[in-house]
Amino acid sequence: MKELEIEAKLDNLNQVLAFVDGFLEENECSMKVQMQMDVAVEEIFVNIANYAYAPGVGQARIRIEITGEPRMVQVTFIDSGVPYDPLAKPDPDVTLSAEERQIGGLGIFMVKKSMDNMLYEYKDKQNILTLQKKM
């Protein structure tokens, strides 16, 4: 398990992705899974940077580990920003045209569809969002 604590601001996105990619490469993760994790990590980190502490800036912790059998990569995001459960919002109706759809929610929807599991809890005044993907 590795952990990165970093200021939740867009300027740090490349550092977060490098941290995740380095761990996935060390653990011989397939390129397909690595790409899916990169898209998911980018979406979640950008949301934290844009909304968790707005208009200020706070810290985010990103924890990554390999668990269980079959092997799964698990990435957990922890922040002390505004409580927000991204899993509570209904999925957008993707059968509607772009003009008919409500704005927002598509990024989280894509993350949900690409991960094998997502978990959220608000504990000790912290948002804890965990992404799980079979390797």
Side-chain angles (χ1 to χ4, degrees), residues 44-125:
I44 301 303
F45 185 77
V46 166
N47 282 352
I48 293 169
N50 284 334
Y51 305 115
Y53 300 101
V57 176
Q59 293 294 114
R61 267 188 297 149
I62 297 98
R63 183 180 301 144
I64 188 167
E65 59 191 313
I66 306 296
T67 63
E69 211 35 68
R71 285 173 27 116
M72 280 195 141
V73 60
Q74 179 169 291
V75 179
T76 303
F77 295 85
I78 303 164
D79 70 76
S80 300
V82 176
Y84 178 68
D85 180 356
L87 306 179
K89 189 175 180 183
D91 292 338
D93 184 349
V94 293
T95 63
L96 297 175
S97 70
E99 294 80 27
E100 296 174 303
R101 257 189 309 230
Q102 287 188 344
I103 294 172
L106 206 51
I108 293 294
F109 176 71
M110 288 181 354
V111 173
K112 283 186 196 175
K113 292 298 178 192
S114 66
M115 294 296 109
D116 290 306
N117 196 23
M118 287 179 71
L119 309 162
Y120 172 83
E121 67 177 325
Y122 187 75
K123 183 177 173 186
D124 301 327
K125 298 184 180 180

Side-chain angles (χ1 to χ4, degrees), residues 1-4 16 19-25 27 37 41 61-67 72-77 131:
M1 195 263 293
K2 284 190 174 181
E3 190 170 283
L4 173 69
V16 170
F19 167 73
V20 169
D21 287 343
F23 182 87
L24 295 176
E25 288 167 11
N27 287 278
M37 290 305 300
V41 165
R61 267 188 297 149
I62 297 98
R63 183 180 301 144
I64 188 167
E65 59 191 313
I66 306 296
T67 63
M72 280 195 141
V73 60
Q74 179 169 291
V75 179
T76 303
F77 295 85
L131 312 177

